[in-house]
């Protein structure tokens, strides 16, 4: 997880070292060719790192190894899992970057099939919504590269339909929260999340007083807010960040703080709140 923070910061050498150490540890624990989700996670992050460094052939190999493991791990659901679709997406992006449009389309279409099936059987959360939009955007890029104007129009129509359905859902949730008194909770959650991200992404230890004060205000608002997903998400977020602030091992806990920020962002967006991470 430390490697994920390093990649976000652009500290690629540090990230590569962390990932190499993690892979060596997992291979020692599970075996060199073991099919284990932790090994897949490391190979995925190694692929992300290679892609960002524009080592495209290496990225393709790492993502392919990750895909093989995840398809095996999630064979019980025929590979219909977000963790599988995420790797297919990255493989499609790598292929498109290398001008292999047909192969890119194959990977992205396979991703779309999984996302469509998941959308029918699982909760339509923000992560699923964003994944479906992103997938269609990249499929349109493939269609454009091939000069397929009809395909581009169909993909645009599909994207607009998904956005329309999501907007209706968000408006319903936003209306409910407005009537339930969650606006103040959302405002405080946004502010606390901003400070928590600054704390987690800072390369040097920073003053946490403002973050602690913001969390105290958020926790007070949580106590007086009516039940709902917004209140639940804010409570989990606050607890996770408090744990990070109390930890003596700041480096190890930072990925958990970032995960808490990401999870809160998704819930805020589901409720119609605009959240932008620069």
């Amino acid at each position: 997880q430390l490697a994920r923070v390093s990649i976000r910061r652009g500290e690629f050498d540090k990230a590569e070292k962390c990932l190499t150490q993690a892979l060596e540890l997992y291979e020692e624990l599970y075996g060199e060719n073991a099919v284990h989700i932790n090994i897949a996670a490391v190979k995925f992050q190694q692929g992300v790192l290679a892609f960002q460094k524009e080592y495209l052939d290496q990225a393709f190999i790492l993502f392919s190894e990750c895909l093989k493991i995840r398809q095996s791990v999630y064979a019980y659901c025929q590979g219909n899992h977000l963790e599988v679709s995420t790797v297919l997406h990255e493989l499609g992006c790598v292929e498109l970057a290398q001008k292999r449009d047909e192969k890119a389309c194959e990977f992205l279409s396979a991703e779309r099939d999984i996302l469509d099936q998941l959308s029918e059987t699982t909760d339509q959360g923000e992560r699923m919504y964003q994944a479906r939009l992103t997938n269609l955007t990249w499929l349109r890029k493939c269609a454009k590269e091939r000069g397929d104007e009809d395909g581009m129009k169909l993909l645009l129509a599909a994207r607009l339909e998904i956005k329309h359905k999501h907007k209706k859902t968000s408006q319903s949730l936003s209306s409910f929260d407005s009537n339930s008194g969650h606006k103040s909770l959302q405002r405080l959650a946004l502010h606390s999340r901003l400070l928590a991200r600054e704390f987690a992404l800072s390369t040097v230890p920073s003053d946490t007083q403002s973050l602690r004060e913001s969390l105290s205000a958020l926790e007070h608002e949580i106590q007086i807010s009516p039940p709902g997903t917004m209140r639940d998400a804010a409570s989990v977020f606050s607890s996770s960040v408090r744990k990070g602030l109390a930890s003596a091992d700041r480096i190890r806990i930072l990925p958990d703080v970032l995960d808490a920020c990401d999870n809160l962002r998704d819930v805020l967006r589901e409720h119609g709140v605009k959240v932008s991470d620069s």
Side-chain angles (χ1 to χ4, degrees):
Q1 288 187 330
L2 178 58
R4 291 171 54 201
V5 178
S6 298
I7 291 174
R8 286 191 180 193
R9 291 174 174 173
E11 300 171 346
F12 294 154
D13 290 341
K14 183 177 180 180
E16 185 173 5
K17 180 180 179 180
C18 292
L19 290 168
T20 299
Q21 292 175 342
L23 186 60
E24 290 174 352
L25 173 62
Y26 288 143
E27 288 180 341
E28 183 178 339
L29 285 172
Y30 310 125
E32 187 172 346
N33 297 313
V35 177
H36 196 282
I37 198 65
N38 287 343
I39 293 178
V42 173
K43 288 186 177 292
F44 181 83
Q45 290 300 324
Q46 287 180 320
V48 170
L49 181 59
F51 195 12
Q52 291 199 12
K53 294 170 72 174
E54 298 186 355
Y55 299 161
L56 300 182
D57 290 336
Q58 182 183 358
F60 183 85
I61 292 172
L62 290 164
F63 284 135
S64 296
E65 292 174 349
C66 173
L67 177 64
K68 183 178 180 181
I69 295 174
R70 286 185 175 176
Q71 285 178 327
S72 179
V73 169
Y74 296 110
Y76 69 90
C77 57
Q78 291 76 51
N80 292 326
H81 195 283
L82 272 175
E83 293 296 303
V84 176
S85 67
T86 300
V87 192
L88 288 168
H89 180 82
E90 296 300 329
L91 283 165
C93 292
V94 171
E95 291 291 71
L96 195 59
Q98 299 192 85
K99 307 300 181 182
R100 296 199 282 258
D101 306 335
E102 293 299 327
K103 289 296 296 182
C105 185
E106 287 181 20
F107 284 120
L108 292 168
S109 294
E111 178 199 10
R112 184 183 183 184
D113 289 342
I114 292 176
L115 292 175
D116 285 347
Q117 291 186 57
L118 290 175
S119 69
E120 296 175 358
T121 59
T122 59
D123 181 43
Q124 283 288 293
E126 184 67 23
R127 183 183 177 189
M128 176 73 73
Y129 169 66
Q130 293 295 336
R132 296 183 76 193
L133 289 185
T134 302
N135 168 257
L136 291 173
T137 297
W138 281 86
L139 278 170
R140 285 191 71 223
K141 290 181 180 181
C142 288
K144 183 177 180 180
E145 291 295 324
R146 299 197 311 271
D148 182 3
E149 293 188 7
D150 290 339
M152 290 176 63
K153 291 178 181 178
L154 289 172
L155 290 164
L156 177 59
R159 196 173 189 275
L160 290 173
E161 182 181 359
I162 291 173
K163 292 184 72 173
H164 177 69
K165 290 181 178 178
H166 184 74
K167 184 178 180 179
K168 289 180 64 177
T169 302
S170 296
Q171 287 175 339
S172 297
L173 287 170
S174 180
S175 176
F176 173 79
D177 280 349
S178 178
N179 294 332
S180 301
H182 278 162
K183 289 299 181 181
S184 179
L185 180 63
Q186 292 171 357
R187 177 179 55 79
L188 290 170
L190 273 172
H191 185 249
S192 294
R193 180 181 177 277
L194 174 64
L195 295 177
R197 274 179 56 81
E198 291 177 354
F199 163 72
L201 293 174
S202 174
T203 56
V204 295
S206 56
D207 181 22
T208 61
Q209 184 60 34
S210 295
L211 174 56
R212 294 176 188 276
E213 291 176 355
S214 182
L215 287 174
S216 295
L218 175 62
E219 288 158 358
H220 173 72
E221 190 66 29
I222 290 171
Q223 291 178 356
I224 62 176
S225 294
T229 55
M230 189 66 251
R231 176 181 173 179
D232 293 342
S235 180
V236 171
F237 165 79
S238 178
S239 176
S240 299
V241 176
R242 285 287 190 191
K243 183 178 179 181
L245 289 171
S247 174
D249 191 347
R250 179 179 182 272
I251 298 300
R252 187 173 295 277
I253 202 67
L254 291 185
D256 294 335
V257 175
L258 283 173
D259 284 343
C261 290
D262 289 348
N263 292 335
L264 180 61
R265 174 202 62 202
D266 291 345
V267 175
L268 284 165
R269 285 177 174 172
E270 286 176 8
H271 288 75
V273 180
K274 292 183 178 180
V275 184
S276 177
D277 292 332
S278 57

